[in-house]
Amino acid sequence: MTGYGRRTTDPKGATKEMEVAFPQSSVMQTLVGDKDENLRTIERELGIKVGRTPTGLVLIGQDTDVELGADLLLQMRGLIERGESIFKGDVERAIKMLSGNRRLQLEELFRDEIRVSGKRTKIVPKTFRQKTYIEEIKNHSVIFGVGPAGTGKTYLAMAMAVTALLNKEVKRIVLCRPAVEAGEKLGFLPGDMAEKVNPYLRPLYDALHDMVDFERAKELVEKGVVEVAPLAFMRGRTLSNAFVILDEAQNTTSVQMKMLLTRLGFGSTCVVTGDATQIDLPRGVQSGLSHATMILKDTPGVSIVHFTDEDVVRHPLVSRIIQAYERDEN
């Protein structure tokens, strides 16, 4: 590995001190984060000490932990030098990935970037499972993204859909969700049917507006190029040359899931996302998501990607909350 400064080991070989050089001080400042928050994350997660030197950062601790920390710093230094952005939580996720596989190269994540026309920043996978998800969307007609909230299932699918539309690979985007009554009856909500179901579809609108500016998104919706509708509105239709996203699929019934999947026509891609632990269906009703992933797992043209709490890209606390609930359920 290049970029190391001094390296010393005590006679027992149990502890190590290693320095990672940073020729550009601006790169180091970007990496350490605001008030050295990324350094504190490395110390907490690896159980080592990290300090500054005139030429870089020095790590002190157990052999394997220091070596992992140095590898992390070198890889992230390289990413920043190539112009990649490091966001809050990236360091903690990188530590988890490298701890699980020391041969991983973080730069591989950035090779599957999604460039949405008009969006100032590119969208890149934050974990290797997200990278796999993007590749599976490119290579399959039906893709299931299953896992906890905050893992990027819907967001990445939306990015792929908008990119496909702007590149003229599809003629339209169809976004749908089941309108499951969780606590309130639709009939008691104010407004016409469109206004009643709008709260269920709001997350899809939010994701769309993050990809395309508001006026452009409004124009696409008004022209029907982007359709946002409850799942029930898909019955009896054939969806050709379309990119279809079914969100919150854990709240579909088996009949509804079959209905949607059999709507697909030529030139279409369908991404189904959901979290099997967040089912709001009445007791005794089987989730269409769980049923479909079970019976279609060996079907050619169908891909199933299972996300875990390690793929959560929201606040790091979200991942720990998910782990706590999983421990309680088990």
Side-chain angles (χ1 to χ4, degrees):
M1 257 178 222
T2 59
Y4 289 134
R6 66 181 183 277
R7 172 175 174 165
T8 61
T9 308
D10 75 357
K12 297 180 180 179
T15 60
K16 180 177 293 184
E17 178 180 321
M18 187 176 290
E19 182 179 334
V20 179
F22 280 81
Q24 297 175 291
S25 59
S26 60
V27 171
M28 186 174 79
Q29 188 55 46
T30 298
L31 177 53
V32 301
D34 185 37
K35 299 180 181 178
D36 288 357
E37 62 180 350
N38 289 335
L39 298 189
R40 304 292 80 82
T41 296
I42 294 172
E43 289 182 329
R44 182 184 69 249
E45 295 296 320
L46 297 181
I48 62 177
K49 294 295 184 183
V50 183
R52 294 173 180 261
T53 72
T55 56
L57 298 171
V58 62
L59 297 80
I60 304 173
Q62 297 295 309
D63 283 23
T64 54
D65 297 328
V66 167
E67 289 170 1
L68 192 156
D71 185 21
L72 169 75
L73 291 175
L74 283 172
Q75 290 201 44
M76 301 205 81
R77 185 191 71 182
L79 292 174
I80 296 171
E81 289 174 343
R82 286 192 291 275
E84 305 294 352
S85 300
I86 303 298
F87 297 99
K88 188 176 181 65
D90 284 351
V91 171
E92 186 170 335
R93 282 188 290 272
I95 292 172
K96 289 181 179 179
M97 288 187 286
L98 288 173
S99 298
N101 185 347
R102 291 289 284 105
R103 291 180 293 181
L104 288 181
Q105 294 298 311
L106 298 178
E107 65 177 342
E108 294 180 7
L109 286 175
F110 293 83
R111 294 176 185 167
D112 268 328
E113 66 187 33
I114 306 171
R115 288 192 177 274
V116 180
S117 178
K119 186 175 175 64
R120 287 176 295 179
T121 58
K122 60 188 177 184
I123 299 171
V124 297
K126 296 289 188 179
T127 71
F128 279 89
R129 204 168 280 110
Q130 286 191 352
K131 172 183 168 67
T132 298
Y133 184 54
I134 292 173
E135 292 171 347
E136 296 300 280
I137 292 175
K138 291 177 181 177
N139 297 315
H140 292 79
S141 296
V142 176
I143 306 91
F144 289 86
V146 185
T151 51
K153 305 182 300 294
T154 303
Y155 190 84
L156 291 174
M158 182 70 77
M160 294 293 286
V162 172
T163 300
L165 178 68
L166 298 180
N167 290 341
K168 302 187 185 303
E169 297 168 10
V170 297
K171 293 183 178 179
R172 56 180 168 158
I173 297 174
V174 179
L175 310 172
C176 56
R177 270 184 153 205
V180 173
E181 299 174 349
E184 285 188 287
K185 297 293 185 183
L186 286 177
F188 295 147
L189 295 176
D192 57 22
M193 179 53 69
E195 292 172 321
K196 289 176 188 292
V197 300
N198 189 62
Y200 294 98
L201 305 174
R202 187 75 259 164
L204 294 175
Y205 281 112
D206 291 342
L208 175 64
H209 292 155
D210 199 39
M211 306 293 167
V212 184
D213 68 76
F214 184 83
E215 291 302 321
R216 175 67 169 149
K218 182 179 178 182
E219 178 186 1
L220 292 172
V221 172
E222 289 176 347
K223 290 183 176 179
V225 177
V226 175
E227 179 181 356
V228 186
L231 176 60
F233 288 18
M234 299 298 109
R235 190 173 299 279
R237 302 175 56 186
T238 299
L239 304 173
S240 300
N241 299 309
F243 198 115
V244 183
I245 299 176
L246 171 59
D247 193 31
E248 295 292 328
Q250 75 274 5
N251 289 325
T252 63
T253 64
S254 298
V255 172
Q256 289 174 326
M257 180 66 75
K258 178 182 177 182
M259 179 271 291
L260 178 76
L261 295 178
T262 54
R263 298 304 94 201
L264 294 182
F266 291 105
S268 290
T269 296
C270 179
V271 180
V272 179
T273 69
D275 178 1
T277 68
Q278 298 293 323
I279 298 173
D280 295 318
L281 294 169
R283 186 180 297 274
V285 177
Q286 183 180 27
S287 167
L289 177 64
S290 301
H291 181 248
T293 53
M294 178 179 65
I295 67 172
L296 298 176
K297 61 182 179 180
D298 298 319
T299 303
V302 175
S303 174
I304 303 172
V305 180
H306 290 277
F307 293 89
T308 72
D309 60 272
E310 294 180 354
D311 301 298
V312 173
V313 292
R314 293 178 181 170
H315 192 288
L317 181 58
V318 175
S319 178
R320 294 192 283 271
I321 291 173
I322 292 171
Q323 291 173 349
Y325 273 95
E326 288 179 347
R327 287 194 299 270
D328 180 67
E329 291 169 0
N330 292 332

